[in-house]
Amino acid sequence: MRLRFAPSPTGHLHVGGARTALFNWLLARRSGGAFVLRVEDTDRNRSRPEHVDAILNGLRWLGIDWDEGPCFQAAGAERHRADALRLLAAGRAYRDFTPREEFERARDAAVSAGSGAVTRLARRLAARVPPADGERRAAAGEPFAVRFLVPDGETAWRDLVHGAMRFANAEIDDFVILRGDGTPTYNLAVASDDADAAITHVLRGDDHLSNTPKQILLYEALGRPVPEFGHLPMILGPDGRRLSKRHGARAVDAFRAEGVLPAAMVNFLALLGWSPGTDEELLSRDELVERFSLERVLKKGAVFDPAKLFWMNGRYIARMEAGELDAALRRALSRAGVAGDGIALGEEAFARMAAALAPRSRTFAEMVRLARPYLGPVREYDAKAARRSWYRDPAGAAAILEAVGDRLEAVPWEAEALEEGLRALAGELGVGAGKVFQPLRLALTGSPASPGIFDVLLILGRGRSLGRVERAVRRIAGES
Ligand code: GLU
């Protein structure tokens, strides 16, 4: 199998493009075939080199590697032109000398007459120029467009996703393949490039369905083998409408910046229109390569649910190995502007913090937020939690925290001793453990929710923990 991904560099790599790339890549890797990358930069006005970079970087980040390319469609313009002229010479296309504006005016008048109007019009106008005149005018340098002569009959193929598809050729206009300025049009360039690269399977979005019969007709007219085609279901927003800017973030980069892991993104994209046939949701890249099949590509649109992506990402974060996790968190911190001296934790405490926060974080952006109180001072105390665990009985809470401070000074600084010490203290004070842990948690982190309190103590270390307890006592007493 020879597959390809053919992005137009008119924007970032979006979820839809990434999904198309991934499905092609999975098939190539599964079949041991080749995956070709072709940048469709023929739209000179909208194509930008920085978009090419963004798309390639997005693919690299996802781990979607290519075997050939990237090649650039614009570089094939000579070949596209030669193909168009070959069709012209073979009588499968014809010259159209009518200036574009004139044609468009006549077309607008004719189009209300119904389908086939454009073709009838184009042929009528072309018939006014006898072949010998056409040759002469062309040789004299007069500009002309080349239109494909759509044959009678119908164009059918067995779609890899949708099954039998057929289009009546009468519904297909004699489309332009070479413009008056000599540049090839989209469908000609795609068919010519796919034929040139010996692509065997074209998998792309449903939005290309109406291009496929035109391209099949071109392959046939050029005498090239017609590849198989499969059209992937549209990606929908939660409102059931086609995913668009309206629905917020769609660029893969945006999810990367939020701290989504490539493995989670790949897993999530694979399930946008494909199902493993079981209710499994977490599938590694290798499992996907092993199990992906076109038979399980769904026909109906796939709903893009960012909450599911974040949930999945959380599962991936929770499964990361310690070294990997530390490194990823340090990268995320440095992206957030926290690095070096901003990280007032030793290696061991840092690793403990990362391990404690991993199961509570759906993204690294979230983990960075949760890490703040361990990296620098507590800047504010959650007001609601403070009312509940400090200010209901300020004197009582302050007394408990003072006793906690004394105990923390005395016990060995390790998990078991800390737990024993604080539980014993609760017993001595005649209160439940929560009455000790909640005010303490707030003092240490500023928040009512955190990893286990003993983990928090071990991450902060004795000195900083005591400092925070003292500061809380002063705060409760209204002194700071
Ligand atoms: N360049 C087209 C796009 O970005 C894809 C063309 C194709 O896959 O045939 O939509």
Side-chain angles (χ1 to χ4, degrees):
M1 285 172 94
R2 288 180 57 82
L3 298 118
R4 60 19 166 223
F5 176 51
S8 303
T10 53
H12 281 249
L13 181 65
H14 285 152
V15 170
R19 194 267 312 252
T20 298
L22 177 65
F23 281 25
N24 279 287
W25 180 86
L26 285 171
L27 268 186
R29 292 295 169 262
R30 173 162 176 74
S31 68
F35 181 59
V36 179
L37 182 59
R38 178 175 74 232
V39 177
E40 301 207 318
D41 57 344
T42 35
D43 185 343
R44 305 311 276 172
N45 296 326
R46 293 172 60 219
S47 298
R48 299 259 182 287
E50 58 270 28
H51 292 146
V52 175
D53 291 343
I55 292 169
L56 300 195
N57 284 334
L59 292 173
R60 287 190 193 103
W61 177 68
L62 289 168
I64 297 179
D65 55 347
W66 48 93
D67 308 306
E68 295 171 30
C71 57
F72 290 81
Q73 188 157 61
E78 275 313 318
R79 174 170 34 75
H80 305 149
R81 209 160 10 247
D83 278 341
L85 296 178
R86 208 147 62 77
L87 292 174
L88 184 62
R92 304 299 307 265
Y94 55 93
R95 292 194 183 90
D96 176 354
F97 285 100
T98 316
R100 188 160 161 179
E101 303 76 51
E102 189 184 327
F103 185 88
E104 283 172 0
R105 259 198 314 279
R107 180 201 57 199
D108 292 345
V111 118
S112 48
S115 76
V118 170
T119 292
R120 273 200 303 276
L121 172 69
R123 290 184 190 178
R124 187 157 45 75
L125 294 173
R128 295 191 310 201
V129 183
D133 276 8
E135 296 292 341
R136 194 174 35 74
R137 287 166 66 176
E142 190 178 328
F144 59 88
V146 177
R147 284 187 183 272
F148 184 67
L149 184 66
V150 174
D152 294 338
E154 62 171 22
T155 301
W157 75 94
R158 187 151 196 89
D159 195 273
L160 298 166
V161 176
H162 297 278
M165 296 291 297
R166 56 182 68 237
F167 278 76
N169 290 358
E171 299 292 327
I172 305 169
D173 293 331
D174 279 357
F175 51 99
V176 171
I177 53 178
L178 203 60
R179 297 185 192 92
D181 64 2
T183 58
T185 60
Y186 174 72
N187 280 303
L188 175 70
V190 172
S192 177
D193 286 352
D194 282 339
D196 190 56
I199 297 302
T200 60
H201 293 71
V202 173
L203 263 194
R204 57 187 174 197
D206 263 357
D207 50 336
H208 285 286
L209 258 175
S210 63
N211 288 323
T212 300
K214 293 180 183 173
Q215 293 175 13
I216 290 176
L217 288 170
L218 286 171
Y219 283 104
E220 288 171 348
L222 287 165
R224 311 295 297 256
V226 180
E228 306 258 10
F229 290 93
H231 293 86
L232 304 173
M234 285 287 92
I235 300 180
L236 310 174
D239 56 359
R241 294 170 59 189
R242 192 178 159 185
L243 191 68
S244 72
K245 284 204 190 90
R246 227 165 358 101
H247 294 104
R250 293 176 304 140
V252 168
D253 282 359
F255 295 108
R256 177 184 187 175
E258 279 234 35
V260 168
L261 295 165
M265 194 79 213
V266 162
N267 189 159
F268 175 78
L269 290 171
L271 298 182
L272 276 181
W274 175 79
S275 142
T278 62
D279 53 15
E280 289 158 281
E281 295 204 279
L282 298 179
L283 295 158
S284 70
R285 183 185 302 272
D286 289 347
E287 286 168 322
L288 289 170
V289 168
E290 200 176 298
R291 296 174 59 177
F292 187 80
S293 76
L294 283 172
E295 289 75 49
R296 306 214 80 95
V297 172
L298 312 170
K299 292 188 180 57
K300 61 175 175 41
V303 176
F304 178 82
D305 176 6
K308 179 162 173 185
L309 168 61
F310 292 129
W311 168 80
M312 226 175 221
N313 199 55
R315 305 316 319 138
Y316 275 86
I317 291 177
R319 288 169 164 197
M320 284 174 94
E321 285 179 21
E324 219 187 335
L325 177 69
D326 284 16
L329 179 54
R330 282 187 198 277
R331 277 197 303 277
L333 283 167
S334 110
R335 272 201 304 275
V338 190
D341 289 348
I343 302 178
L345 292 178
E347 296 272 324
E348 204 187 313
F350 186 91
R352 185 180 286 279
M353 174 187 72
L357 296 181
R360 318 174 72 86
S361 308
R362 287 167 311 160
T363 66
F364 279 94
E366 188 171 11
M367 207 188 296
V368 166
R369 278 195 298 281
L370 295 177
R372 297 262 178 210
Y374 308 96
L375 304 173
V378 172
R379 300 205 185 276
E380 52 187 345
Y381 298 101
D382 181 274
K384 209 167 127 202
R387 276 199 300 281
R388 198 172 49 235
S389 55
W390 287 356
Y391 296 119
R392 233 179 237 163
D393 171 12
I400 287 175
L401 284 176
E402 271 177 344
V404 166
D406 292 344
R407 190 62 49 106
L408 291 181
E409 244 167 320
V411 294
W413 207 254
E414 44 103 345
E416 249 172 61
L418 286 167
E419 174 154 13
E420 264 169 39
L422 290 184
R423 287 193 190 282
L425 176 66
E428 289 158 30
L429 296 172
V431 297
K435 280 267 184 272
V436 174
F437 297 165
Q438 276 311 102
L440 175 60
R441 188 187 309 280
L442 186 62
L444 296 176
T445 67
S447 157
S450 78
I453 194 74
F454 311 110
D455 256 337
V456 172
L457 288 165
L458 289 170
I459 294 164
L460 289 172
R462 195 189 312 256
R464 288 213 291 165
S465 297
L466 286 173
R468 290 181 186 200
V469 169
E470 279 163 28
R471 182 170 160 224
V473 170
R474 285 201 304 278
R475 172 81 166 224
I476 294 169
E479 289 164 24
S480 76

